[in-house]
Amino acid sequence: MNTSTQIRYAQVLLFLSCFTIGLLSAQEPSAWHPVGDKIKSSWAATVDPKNPFPEYPRPHLVREHWQNLNGLWEYAIVPGKLGAAPGSYEGQVLVPFAVESALSGVGRTVGKDSTLWYRRTVTLDKKLRKQRVILHFGAVDWQCDVYVNGQKAGSHAGGFDPFSIDITHHLTKGANQEVVVGVWDPTNEGPQPNGKQVVRPHGIWYTPVTGIWQTVWLEGVPETHITTTKHTPDIDHGKLFVQTAVESAKAGDQLRISAWKGQEKIAEQTVAVGADVSLQVSDAELWSPSNPFLYDLKVAVLRKGKVVDEVSSYFAMRKISMGLDAKGIQRMLLNNEFVFHYGPLDQGWWPDGLYTAPSDEALRFDIEKTKAMGFNMIRKHIKVEPARWYYHCDKLGLLVWQDMPSGDLGGNHWDMRPGITSGRQHDKDRSPESEAIYRKEWKAIMDALHNFPSIVVWVPFNEAWGQFKTEEITEWTMKYDPSRLVNSASGGNFFPTGHIFDIHNYPDAVMPRPKLFGNKQILVLGEFGGLGLPVEGHTWQDKDNWGYQSFKNADELKHRYQGLVKDLARLIPMGLSAAVYTQTTDVEVETNGLMTYDRAVVKMPETELHQWHQQLYQIKID
């Protein structure tokens, strides 16, 4: 067979192969595969459409009987805002990946003029059928209605907080149950928190995320069951305060709460349901980035001495506070000692899953790499992660600054002059609807994340993005959770409120003037750096990528970055308590990440980064 004949023969085989694949695809519409031509992470190839994210999704309230509903659901995108469910569906979407993402298998935009519908027939696990059945959603962006067997079971508005619905009374006889979810999301064309999502992505604004983007699951619970726990450590008095909410408790029911260090029970109390508990944790092993020690916690409901319901959890003994140094400058203290906080701005976006990492392994990877690079902190930037992300931070030892996702940005006035005080008003005038949405979701986020010891700072506002009633919101946040520090407006319009005075500056490392607000606030550089290096073959698009300052090669980048670290070392003795480098990874057209968007390339050697960063934590202050 000559060469030309071989080529023609190969072409025929290729045609027949493609024809066969196309025929099979037409016969099997349920076949799933990632869509689009954008780069993808290596974990995309490991996604199992039959069982994505099989891990138990709620580390702080663990029970035995649960059923994962992640996987292929039917979907339809129809005109209008919610309303009645459609009579038919147009394909399949892989939950929990947003419909715009490659890993959803759909890759379509929804928009404010349409509703995204999901449908799935669930075969209820036998272990759940004799109990009350709770339907849980990790997160759905933004407003949704939930139907079970044709009846409306509940609604929710909020794209970043988990919610649950008791669907017991909507279940029918037999194992099969129909679940339908309708979602409406105006992205940046509504007043709700939406983070970096925009209808038309560009620059620092990214692809929309609509619908279910965290794990969906069922849980079986007894009639009387624990719904929430809240743990707050007090290392100065060696105590852990625990509050527990119980559904359908009966007269005489009790709570038994015990703390464990490995297999050793170190404290236990039995009290009436509804009573707060103070556990004595003597000679506590304190949690820190260098020693992320976690205790176990068990909570049980007792009725006449018998266990009615029991959950397992964990906690850490750690303290975040502020205090004056010898120069009279406020410092950020961890466990009553100064620890310089240094970490990346972490936006938590993925080229294949958008808001959703391809797997739990991928979710943990970013944290492990951050730790390996020698950072001790992460600023989670205007996004809330799944509970397991914070669990990994707790286990690995990363301090977390948690932002409130921004929203309602139109008409903002941004005045970056550091002399601005409450005497000059630059807050945004939000509508009553917009204010109510913000307050409701911020409280829900704080409630959902309270038990994670890695979170040490709340950040209600980023820059002037939707910043409103700054002093009121800040004071409320401080009062609602006095166990953490509050960074009022990172890089925003400055008011003498909150614990932290935080400026942004690109690319150089600078700091606020110590005496600007009378030495009443901790001094922080909340964003800086942004050094860009596009890596061929690992960019969101082939050209027109950018960074705040771009470089041609890794050596130039490394030299400039090392200079920034030296500047930080000079500023720490002058009063700087923390700094946040932009950013963990490239995100869409931004190429200023320490890693590429697909996480395939670390742009500077991890060992060198680790060595440089360790020097920052060893600097002594007076």
Side-chain angles (χ1 to χ4, degrees), residues 529-551:
L531 306 182
L533 178 66
V535 179
E536 187 176 355
H538 301 277
T539 56
W540 184 250
Q541 58 191 30
D542 292 334
K543 59 180 181 178
D544 299 326
N545 297 289
W546 71 278
Y548 287 94
Q549 181 181 1
S550 294
F551 297 87

Side-chain angles (χ1 to χ4, degrees), residues 29 32 56 69 92 135 202 250 305 340 389 399 513 531 545 550:
W32 168 89
Y56 189 85
L69 299 189
Q92 292 191 312
L135 175 60
H202 62 281
K250 295 185 178 181
F340 183 71
W389 185 88
L399 301 162
R513 296 197 304 272
L531 306 182
N545 297 289
S550 294

Side-chain angles (χ1 to χ4, degrees), residues 157 290 524 568 595:
S290 60
V524 161
L568 289 178
M595 295 185 285

Side-chain angles (χ1 to χ4, degrees), residues 52-64:
F53 285 95
E55 298 81 11
Y56 189 85
R58 192 183 55 192
H60 275 300
L61 203 69
V62 180
R63 287 192 182 90
E64 181 181 358

